[in-house]
Amino acid sequence: MTTTHELTLVREPEGLEYAAGTSLRWYDICPYAELTPERGACAMVEGVQVAIFRTFEGELFATSNLDPFSGAQVLSRGILGTRGGAPTVASPMFKQVFDLRTGSCLDEPGVALATFAIRRNPAGDRVEVALPDEHRE
């Protein structure tokens, strides 16, 4: 008899540090198969609009949906690509490009999107996002 173990894939945003005592709560978003590669989707999580992205390679990223330059909730409609090997999204409003791993704007230093932990559930069929306490309403 062979036992198999499913892996939970978790992407913690690079460079993200939570304050001491901050807890994460995971939220079920959608079936993994419903996320179209190279297209974004938006999910409302505890009053926060979260942009969810799936790359052609199957990697998942979660950022704020709020474009800091226009003030519009539109990043999930942005254009995915790469710059210098980094997975990116370009805002559909004014075309600023953001690194999906860190949220940093590659065109305007000092501006960044909030990024969130994202994973596939243990069975691998659903996508989950975590919000730290300070982002929940």
Side-chain angles (χ1 to χ4, degrees):
M1 175 190 247
T2 303
T3 303
T4 60
H5 297 281
E6 295 291 335
L7 295 177
T8 300
L9 303 175
V10 178
R11 173 169 304 283
E12 292 286 348
E14 290 182 13
L16 182 64
E17 293 183 23
Y18 298 115
T22 299
S23 63
L24 293 177
R25 184 180 310 161
W26 289 93
Y27 297 88
D28 181 72
I29 302 299
C30 66
Y32 178 77
E34 286 186 14
L35 292 175
T36 304
E38 299 300 309
R39 290 239 172 117
C42 183
M44 183 68 80
V45 182
E46 292 284 326
V48 177
Q49 286 193 34
V50 178
I52 310 291
F53 302 99
R54 177 181 167 190
T55 66
F56 277 128
E57 293 79 24
E59 289 185 283
L60 295 169
F61 298 93
T63 71
S64 168
N65 198 40
L66 180 65
D67 178 346
F69 294 96
S70 70
Q73 299 277 0
V74 296
L75 283 172
S76 62
R77 297 183 203 157
I79 299 167
L80 292 179
T82 59
R83 187 184 285 180
T88 61
V89 63
S91 169
M93 298 298 285
F94 302 123
K95 310 303 183 239
Q96 284 88 358
V97 176
F98 298 89
D99 184 328
L100 288 172
R101 301 169 302 177
T102 64
S104 297
C105 181
L106 301 179
D107 300 320
E108 189 75 35
V111 177
L113 304 172
T115 55
F116 306 104
I118 188 166
R119 69 184 182 190
R120 290 173 72 174
N121 69 349
D125 61 340
R126 308 245 349 139
V127 174
E128 299 174 337
V129 170
L131 293 183
D133 291 332
E134 69 261 16
H135 286 287
R136 295 195 297 258
E137 290 183 354

